[in-house]
Every structure is written in C-alpha cells, then in structure tokens.
Amino acid sequence: MNKMMVMILLLALGCIVVPSAQAANILSDPGFEDMVVTGYWKPATFDESTGWFRFAWGGDVTNTWVTDGGGNNDFSYSVHPNHPELNPDDQAMKNRWANTGLGQIVDGIVVGQTYTFSLDCYHATTHPSKVDLEIRVVWHDAEDTWLPPEGGGDAAIEVAHYYPADNPLDTWVTISGDMVAPATATSVRFIVLSTNDKGDGNGGYTYYDNAVVDGPRVRAYDPQPQDGEALLGVLPTEVMWGVEVPTGDSFDYDVYWSIDDPNVLNFTKIGSGSGTGPSVDLTQVVTTEMDHDYYWYVDVNDVTIGGFSSGTVWTFDTFNPPSASIDNQPLSQNLWQDGGGTASLFVEASASGKAGTTATWISTPSAGVTFDPPTSTLADPNVTVNFATVAVPTTYELMVSADDGSADANDVIYVNVIPNGYDGLTALYEFESDAADSIGGHDGTLVGGALVDTVDAKVGSGSLLCSTLDDYVEVLDSGVADPNWAAEPGAPDEVVAKWADFTITNQFTVSAWVKAEEWTTSWQQIVTKDDGWALQRNGADPTSVSMFRVGRGTDTDPRGEVTARDTDEIQITLTDGNWHQLVGTFDGLAVRLYVDGFLEGIVENSSYLNSLPLGGGYLQIGDRGIMRIDQVRLHDIALTDSMVWDQFVADGGTNSCRQQYLATDLNEDCSTDLKDFALIAADWLLCSDQTDPSCSVVIPLP
C-alpha cells in the first residue's frame, strides 16, 4: 500500500506527530511479529517472552499489569498476515474497545537522559475507528516503586495521543513524545492505552505498529546460570552475563556476591572490569559448594554518558537432586490382615534434598490406604501405612519420592494385602474318582492310559496313575489364542488357560504328592503350564532330583527361566517307592522348591514381578513318567514356609528328614523305630564303654 506520513503539531501536549524513522529501539518485539496469530478475529496470545503484557485500565495504573484477562478481554487483536491494511511488516495490532491496552517494561534506564516514545497508528475506510489511542509512561525506581510526576497527577503520564477523528483515513501516522528520566528511575513502563477522549470508545478498528522507546540503556543482562535456576548436582566455577550500553560507549562494572543471604547490604564485591559496549559473555570466577543458595548482581557504569545501572539481584542454587528410597523392605511382600480386618505396615525410608523438600507417599490404588503421618519430611520420611479391609487379595504399589517440583519417584514396593485366613486355594485335584477340580471348576481330562484308581493314595482313597510315558491329565479351561505360539504354527498348545480366579497375578503356589519307583527317561512333568511354569524332574541322570521352574528360555520370553532345584546334600530321588510332596512357590521375588515340607531350593529373581506367565498352553498333570500323583493344588498366593509345612502335616506327611537325620535315626532311614533299637541291642554288651574303639554303634547322649 502507498503510505502517506502526516505531521501534526500537538501543542497542548507538548509533543509532535512526525514521520516514521528508524530508531535505536530498546523495546522487545516492537513490530508485534512474535505475537501468535490465532485467527483473523481472535485475540493475540500474550507470551512473556515477547516482552508484552496485557494492560487493563483500573484508575491507578500502577497495579494493572496482568498476564491474562483484566478489563475487556476483547481489547486487542492480532491482524491476520497479509491483510492489506498492514504496515510493511507482517503483523500489526488493532483495538476495538476503550480503556484497555498493552505495555512493556524496559529496564536499564539512565537518569537525566531523554527518551523518545513513539507509535505508528492507522484507521481504514472499511472500518472507521471511534477508539482513541494514547502512549503513556510510568517511571519506576530500583525497588519497583512508581515515581509520581512533577506537580502530582496520574502516575501514567500521557506523552502522545492519536484521535482517529482528527486524522485521515487509510494513512499511517506516527505519534511521538519525549521525556527525561527522573531522579532514581531505573525502569519505565511503555503503555499503549485505548481511550474514548473524542470517540465513543466502541466501533471500528484502530491499528498500531512499530512501537519505539529510543534512548540509552545501561544494564547487565542474560545471567548464566539463569536467574532462579536449580543446579542439581552441578557446581559452577564461573558466572557469565552480558552488558548493554550504547554502541561504542565505554563502561565499568562491579560484581557482588552473597551466599544464602539475599540482603544486598551483606553482599561482597568479588570482581570488577571494563569494556566497550555492547559486550557479551563477560565472566567472573566463583567458588561454589553443594547445598547452598547463591545471590549476585552486576552494577554497570556507562563512562561515556555517565549513566549508572544498579543490577538486578540474580540467584541460583546448588543442591543435590532430591531423592528418596524405601529401606529394609522387600520389593514385594504379602501382608495378612488380622481378625479385625485391618493391616498396617511400618516402612522405613531415607530422603535428601533442598530444605523445604517433602517426602511424598503415594499408593496405587489409593482407596482404603492412609499414611501416618500424612505428610513426611526429609528428616523423617518413615511412615506407617494402614490398609482398610479387603474382601479379596489386593496388590498395592507404594511409592515414595522427594518432590520439590523437579524430582521423580525412585523407589517402590508392592504389598499384597490378604484377608485373614485366606490361603488362595484356586484349584484342587483330589483324584478320588476322576480328574475334576473340586474347588474352582477347572476340570481336567484323562489322556492316554491315565486313570484314577483306588489301589494307592496319599489322601483319601484314590490317586492318578500314569502307567506309560504318554499318560497325563490336561486342563484346557476356557482359553484364548496365545501370541507366544505365533512362531510355531500348528503347535498343539495354542491356547492360554484363563485362570480368572487367580486374584494376585504376581505370585502363586503349586503342590502335588508323587510316588514313583523308577524313571525311564531324563525328565518327567508332574504339574506344568508349559511356557509359564513347571513342577518337574529334569536331568540326564535318571536319579536326578526335582525342580520348580518359572518362565522359559525362549525367543518369545527374553527373560528366560528361573529355576529352583533340590540342592540339599540329603537328596531324595522320588523313586524310593514312598509318597513325597513337592511344592513350588513364586512370590514375585523368589522361586522356591519345597520337598516333604522343607525348603530345598531358592533362587532370588524378580524378572516376573507383576507379569507372572500363567499362560503358554494348557495345564498338564503327569506325562513322561510312570508314577502316581495325588492332591494337586494351585494357590493364587505364595504360601509361607509354615503354611507349606502345615499342609504337609495335614495331608499325613511323616518321616521327613530332608534337612538332617534325627539323632535317634541310627540307620538313617528317616524314621526312628525298632530297626534303630535293633542296632543298639545287637552290640549292647560290646559297647558298654563308649571309649572302646570296637563299638560300632554310638548311643546318643542326652
């Protein structure tokens, strides 16, 4: 557009309207190019990084700076790019209401220097404006207190105005005015205010662009570390800043420093220097230590013009990253509620960080969980966690974090709260007459020549008899496709049995009684869930002992398998013709194998915590072995040592010497009976003196 510049003498205000000119502008984003355009009829988005703030008229303009809202929110619109009414640059602003506006704070003002304030204004034939514009100025001192003008009056001093009614349409006009920075001024607020001095304040649009504050600026700026920065775990050895003065001016500077004390009266000068402006990347060597707040500022003196700027106080801190951790608690554990239906857990924790940082406890899920105390300090982050009554086992994730706005949780534990008396029995195969599950309804099918007979049993009158290597029971349950088998098309185990009544999915127990006289192959399945887990015997030596496996070392499960084996020196091969109980447990942290009531193997490994592989094919009882199996149980919790022992005894388990032989078991057959007495009686007369080396039997002393 061909633009015409008009000069109008505003005698009453002592300011003139002059043609636009390139100025040494100390405003940020003077052309409003950084304003975000949200649409032709949408308000501009105000971003502090542009330097501009909303300004709402409220009488006393000293307290009307707001970052959002205030006055009429419709006050200021960004013009759509390429609009024909624009100034040569891409964007301008426009107003349609009175008593609103925007402004910018400019620091580094030099007392006694003259500053020119100007703005390009416009209104168009298409929308003649009734909204007036004013440039107003408010001076502030180092304490950010506004300075009243000479002779009193409003703090916001009018230096120029634009009345659309007095100016031609379709013509950009520059309004301008000068002021001298008063004593003690260190900053100025440049305000564009819409008014209704001559118009009615409503209707049409008044456009404005190219805001200018022209004058010297003397200041230190751009501190590094940044003002307010938290240097977690970092100790800087220098601070850095820039100095802004008119180009070519000589300047001196002094650096002041304080540790943990923001009172400027207690700052110490730690350095001085000089240069020619403008200058960037000035540095000062400093010594810092961890866990302190540091305060500093830089005074700048423009030697050329005699302008002095007292620096803004900047701060940073050097604290170790806030941290918290739970101490002396296993990653996963079971907590049984008492007879009253409540349970509590005292959790020790440790935390560190900046003063004022708190230790925050969180439970997922949170319902029914309370913390005592509800808010913990870094000095004492310990807490008692109280759990309300649960009807079924419920897993809670407890987390502690040191939270000052920048820290994340770094420690969790999982607590399985279990109702009083709950044993988690989910399936029981008693083999009294068939392969039915008498607890959960996961009934099995006899495969091959497997049968249930009453010739021998550990509990009750019947047991499962596997007479060939292909005899077993399979439990398909209600299954879904198993993605782990996608790489093996046509494999027979393409379903995942869905044990919906496994309440806790990060642990379980499987147990079975087994009786065998000879193994004819290198491995036997006793109770297995294929990829998921297996209670079995495995090894090239037919006399190898039992084991319990969780997981499987396949490409589809990169975590591999975790196996607990019978590692006791007194090993029973299971082929002695006696009934033996095997129990496997997984509690989320450890795989355990029990034989005849005693813990025989344990492997600590949390690979499967909260993701126990229950799937991987159907449940199978027996296979690859000639044996009897009885009382197969599945629990959805990991039984404790005492619970395993109680089950062993309740099933009629006796003569267990898995840990050591009794002192009276002279023939080491795991039983004290007449056979042991016979050994004593046979040599009774020969062994009247225990010091006699010919004695073959030593009678235990009380």
Side-chain angles (χ1 to χ4, degrees):
M1 172 181 289
N2 184 20
K3 298 182 2 178
M4 173 181 177
M5 310 309 297
V6 178
M7 181 181 294
I8 301 175
L9 184 64
L10 302 175
L11 298 175
L13 291 175
C15 60
I16 61 173
V17 179
V18 298
S20 295
Q22 184 66 34
N25 200 349
I26 58 176
L27 282 175
S28 299
D29 190 26
F32 310 105
E33 303 308 302
D34 295 333
M35 292 290 188
V36 178
V37 178
T38 56
Y40 184 77
W41 298 109
K42 301 296 183 181
T45 299
F46 280 78
D47 184 342
E48 185 175 347
S49 64
T50 68
W52 294 104
F53 291 86
R54 292 180 185 272
F55 179 83
W57 178 256
D60 181 2
V61 299
T62 61
N63 61 2
T64 55
W65 292 84
V66 292
T67 57
D68 189 25
N72 191 325
N73 289 336
D74 212 13
F75 74 91
S76 192
Y77 289 72
S78 64
V79 178
H80 195 282
N82 302 319
H83 193 283
E85 295 164 339
L86 293 179
N87 231 357
D89 52 14
D90 290 333
Q91 290 187 172
M93 302 298 291
K94 64 180 178 182
N95 273 66
R96 62 181 299 183
W97 303 106
N99 297 329
T100 58
L102 76 167
Q104 188 172 145
I105 303 172
V106 182
D107 62 359
I109 296 301
V110 179
V111 171
Q113 294 291 316
T114 299
Y115 291 84
T116 298
F117 306 90
S118 66
L119 187 70
D120 289 355
C121 306
Y122 177 98
H123 74 134
T125 302
T126 54
H127 297 94
S129 179
K130 299 179 181 180
V131 180
D132 304 329
L133 289 180
E134 295 179 356
I135 297 176
R136 294 203 176 200
V137 169
V138 182
W139 302 97
H140 281 244
D141 63 16
E143 301 300 323
D144 203 30
T145 302
W146 65 276
L147 303 176
E150 293 183 9
D154 199 317
I157 305 168
E158 182 182 345
V159 297
H161 60 229
Y162 174 79
Y163 297 139
D166 295 342
N167 285 278
L169 292 165
D170 306 320
T171 303
W172 284 95
V173 173
T174 300
I175 61 173
S176 177
D178 295 338
M179 288 198 71
V180 176
T184 72
T186 60
S187 66
V188 65
R189 279 132 173 88
F190 174 89
I191 302 169
V192 180
L193 181 67
S194 61
T195 68
N196 56 358
D197 288 353
K198 289 193 174 183
D200 64 9
N202 187 12
Y205 302 109
T206 300
Y207 298 84
Y208 56 94
D209 200 357
N210 297 333
V212 174
V213 175
D214 181 13
R217 193 177 198 179
V218 177
R219 62 167 184 156
Y221 70 102
D222 190 24
Q224 299 295 330
Q226 296 180 11
D227 186 25
E229 185 173 0
L231 302 178
L232 300 178
V234 177
L235 292 176
T237 58
E238 65 178 17
V239 292
M240 182 181 299
W241 69 97
V243 167
E244 181 179 1
V245 296
T247 301
D249 282 11
S250 298
F251 65 86
D252 298 329
Y253 67 83
D254 296 314
V255 182
Y256 293 86
W257 183 258
S258 176
I259 303 175
D260 296 328
D261 185 357
N263 188 341
V264 294
L265 297 178
N266 298 325
F267 281 44
T268 301
K269 186 167 82 170
I270 61 171
S272 300
S274 61
T276 301
S279 182
V280 296
D281 297 339
L282 297 171
T283 61
Q284 173 66 47
V285 175
V286 295
T287 299
T288 57
E289 297 178 349
M290 202 59 68
D291 298 333
H292 287 287
D293 289 306
Y294 291 93
Y295 301 88
W296 63 295
Y297 67 90
V298 179
D299 284 346
V300 179
N301 178 46
D302 186 321
V303 178
T304 302
I305 63 174
F308 175 80
S309 173
S310 180
T312 300
V313 175
W314 299 313
T315 183
F316 64 88
D317 59 50
T318 56
F319 284 87
N320 282 310
S323 65
S325 62
I326 297 175
D327 304 327
N328 304 318
Q329 289 287 341
L331 180 58
S332 178
Q333 61 183 296
N334 291 341
L335 181 64
W336 272 264
Q337 294 190 320
D338 58 25
T342 62
S344 298
L345 179 68
F346 178 74
V347 186
E348 295 182 21
S350 56
S352 63
K354 184 178 179 179
T357 302
T358 59
T360 302
W361 287 92
I362 301 172
S363 171
T364 305
S366 60
V369 180
T370 59
F371 296 99
D372 184 17
T375 302
S376 300
T377 65
L378 292 187
D380 184 16
N382 298 340
V383 68
T384 296
V385 189
N386 301 304
F387 300 92
T389 302
V390 294
V392 296
T394 304
T395 300
Y396 296 87
E397 179 190 81
L398 301 182
M399 177 182 72
V400 63
S401 68
D403 184 12
D404 65 351
S406 61
D408 294 326
N410 62 3
D411 208 355
V412 299
I413 61 172
Y414 299 93
V415 179
N416 305 303
V417 178
I418 301 173
N420 182 45
Y422 184 86
D423 66 2
L425 185 60
T426 296
L428 171 60
Y429 299 91
E430 299 177 282
F431 299 114
E432 289 300 291
S433 60
D434 54 22
D437 169 15
S438 59
I439 295 294
H442 308 286
D443 296 339
T445 301
L446 297 169
V447 177
L451 60 87
V452 173
D453 71 14
T454 57
V455 174
D456 192 5
K458 178 58 185 176
V459 178
S461 59
S463 64
L464 173 66
L465 174 61
C466 299
S467 301
T468 72
L469 301 183
D470 297 320
D471 297 347
Y472 57 90
V473 169
E474 68 178 9
V475 184
L476 292 177
D477 206 356
S478 57
V480 296
D482 179 6
N484 286 344
W485 288 91
E488 304 177 48
D493 302 334
E494 294 179 349
V495 294
V496 178
K498 296 182 68 64
W499 297 87
D501 38 3
F502 264 50
T503 304
I504 301 178
T505 59
N506 65 3
Q507 59 178 284
F508 80 117
T509 297
V510 56
S511 65
W513 285 89
V514 62
K515 181 178 182 180
E517 295 186 358
E518 182 182 7
W519 300 129
T520 59
T521 60
S522 62
W523 62 274
Q524 288 73 41
Q525 295 185 171
I526 298 170
V527 187
T528 63
K529 197 63 168 58
D530 205 14
D531 280 352
W533 45 265
L535 188 62
Q536 65 188 67
R537 191 201 71 84
N538 193 22
D541 182 355
T543 63
S544 295
V545 296
S546 54
M547 56 182 268
F548 176 52
R549 162 181 65 81
V550 169
R552 183 176 182 180
T554 67
D555 292 339
T556 58
D557 196 341
R559 292 170 296 188
E561 67 182 36
V562 184
T563 303
R565 300 176 183 271
D566 182 356
T567 57
D568 197 272
E569 293 182 359
I570 307 171
Q571 296 176 342
I572 293 180
T573 65
L574 306 181
T575 55
D576 59 359
N578 294 315
W579 284 100
H580 296 283
Q581 187 194 48
L582 303 181
V583 180
T585 71
F586 178 64
D587 63 3
L589 298 181
V591 177
R592 292 177 172 85
L593 172 68
Y594 298 80
V595 181
D596 291 341
F598 287 99
L599 177 63
E600 297 299 341
I602 179 172
V603 177
E604 300 282 348
N605 192 309
S606 60
S607 296
Y608 293 98
L609 178 63
N610 294 333
S611 59
L612 182 65
L614 293 175
Y618 51 75
L619 179 71
Q620 190 166 298
I621 303 172
D623 196 19
R624 306 289 298 173
I626 300 172
M627 57 187 154
R628 286 185 178 273
I629 299 174
D630 199 4
Q631 299 300 302
V632 174
R633 296 178 174 94
L634 297 177
H635 304 255
D636 68 358
I637 63 172
L639 299 184
T640 64
D641 292 353
S642 62
M643 295 172 77
V644 170
W645 178 257
D646 289 344
Q647 187 184 91
F648 172 74
V649 173
D651 283 351
T654 58
N655 300 338
S656 177
C657 59
R658 298 290 297 151
Q659 303 296 318
Q660 64 180 15
Y661 297 114
L662 297 176
T664 55
D665 184 10
L666 302 182
N667 63 355
E668 298 183 348
D669 66 352
C670 297
S671 179
T672 298
D673 51 23
L674 290 176
K675 295 177 182 179
D676 299 300
F677 180 76
L679 289 176
I680 299 174
D683 291 334
W684 184 264
L685 296 176
L686 297 177
C687 293
S688 59
D689 183 359
Q690 292 194 58
T691 63
D692 185 349
S694 64
C695 285
S696 60
V697 176
V698 177
I699 301 175
L701 297 175

Short mmCIF file of all heavy atoms in Angstrom, two decimals, residues 75 162 294 318 365 435 486 511 585 604 672:
data_model
loop_
_atom_site.label_atom_id
_atom_site.label_comp_id
_atom_site.label_asym_id
_atom_site.label_seq_id
_atom_site.Cartn_x
_atom_site.Cartn_y
_atom_site.Cartn_z
N PHE A 75 -9.91 -6.65 23.98
CA PHE A 75 -9.31 -5.34 23.74
C PHE A 75 -8.34 -5.32 22.58
O PHE A 75 -8.16 -4.29 21.94
CB PHE A 75 -8.61 -4.85 25.01
CG PHE A 75 -7.31 -5.55 25.31
CD1 PHE A 75 -6.11 -5.05 24.83
CD2 PHE A 75 -7.30 -6.70 26.06
CE1 PHE A 75 -4.93 -5.70 25.12
CE2 PHE A 75 -6.11 -7.34 26.33
CZ PHE A 75 -4.93 -6.84 25.86
N TYR A 162 -3.48 9.63 19.74
CA TYR A 162 -3.95 9.52 18.36
C TYR A 162 -5.48 9.53 18.38
O TYR A 162 -6.09 8.64 18.99
CB TYR A 162 -3.45 8.22 17.72
CG TYR A 162 -4.00 7.93 16.35
CD1 TYR A 162 -3.49 8.57 15.23
CD2 TYR A 162 -5.01 6.98 16.18
CE1 TYR A 162 -3.98 8.29 13.96
CE2 TYR A 162 -5.52 6.70 14.92
CZ TYR A 162 -5.00 7.36 13.81
OH TYR A 162 -5.49 7.07 12.56
N TYR A 294 22.92 -19.08 46.06
CA TYR A 294 23.87 -18.02 45.72
C TYR A 294 23.12 -16.84 45.11
O TYR A 294 22.21 -17.02 44.29
CB TYR A 294 24.93 -18.55 44.75
CG TYR A 294 25.86 -19.55 45.40
CD1 TYR A 294 25.59 -20.91 45.34
CD2 TYR A 294 26.97 -19.12 46.11
CE1 TYR A 294 26.42 -21.83 45.96
CE2 TYR A 294 27.82 -20.04 46.73
CZ TYR A 294 27.53 -21.39 46.66
OH TYR A 294 28.36 -22.29 47.29
N THR A 318 22.64 -24.70 44.34
CA THR A 318 23.43 -25.90 44.02
C THR A 318 23.07 -26.98 45.03
O THR A 318 23.71 -27.11 46.07
CB THR A 318 24.93 -25.60 44.10
OG1 THR A 318 25.22 -25.09 45.41
CG2 THR A 318 25.34 -24.58 43.07
N PRO A 365 -3.63 -48.88 44.08
CA PRO A 365 -4.71 -47.89 44.20
C PRO A 365 -4.64 -47.16 45.54
O PRO A 365 -3.97 -47.62 46.47
CB PRO A 365 -5.96 -48.76 44.10
CG PRO A 365 -5.54 -50.09 44.63
CD PRO A 365 -4.14 -50.28 44.17
N ALA A 435 -10.80 -86.61 37.25
CA ALA A 435 -9.82 -85.52 37.23
C ALA A 435 -10.49 -84.17 37.43
O ALA A 435 -10.05 -83.15 36.89
CB ALA A 435 -9.05 -85.54 35.92
N ALA A 486 2.79 -67.88 18.07
CA ALA A 486 2.65 -67.46 16.67
C ALA A 486 3.80 -67.95 15.80
O ALA A 486 3.64 -68.18 14.60
CB ALA A 486 2.56 -65.93 16.60
N SER A 511 1.37 -77.47 44.24
CA SER A 511 1.87 -78.57 45.07
C SER A 511 1.27 -79.88 44.58
O SER A 511 0.18 -79.91 44.00
CB SER A 511 1.53 -78.35 46.54
OG SER A 511 0.13 -78.39 46.75
N THR A 585 6.73 -72.40 44.82
CA THR A 585 6.11 -71.09 45.06
C THR A 585 6.88 -70.01 44.33
O THR A 585 8.10 -70.12 44.10
CB THR A 585 6.06 -70.73 46.56
OG1 THR A 585 7.38 -70.44 47.02
CG2 THR A 585 5.43 -71.85 47.37
N GLU A 604 16.63 -66.14 43.97
CA GLU A 604 16.10 -64.77 44.02
C GLU A 604 16.14 -64.19 42.61
O GLU A 604 17.19 -64.11 41.99
CB GLU A 604 16.96 -63.91 44.96
CG GLU A 604 17.01 -64.39 46.39
CD GLU A 604 15.75 -64.02 47.16
OE1 GLU A 604 14.97 -63.21 46.64
OE2 GLU A 604 15.57 -64.54 48.27
N THR A 672 12.65 -93.12 63.23
CA THR A 672 13.14 -93.71 64.47
C THR A 672 12.17 -94.81 64.88
O THR A 672 11.02 -94.53 65.22
CB THR A 672 13.26 -92.65 65.58
OG1 THR A 672 14.20 -91.64 65.17
CG2 THR A 672 13.74 -93.28 66.87
#
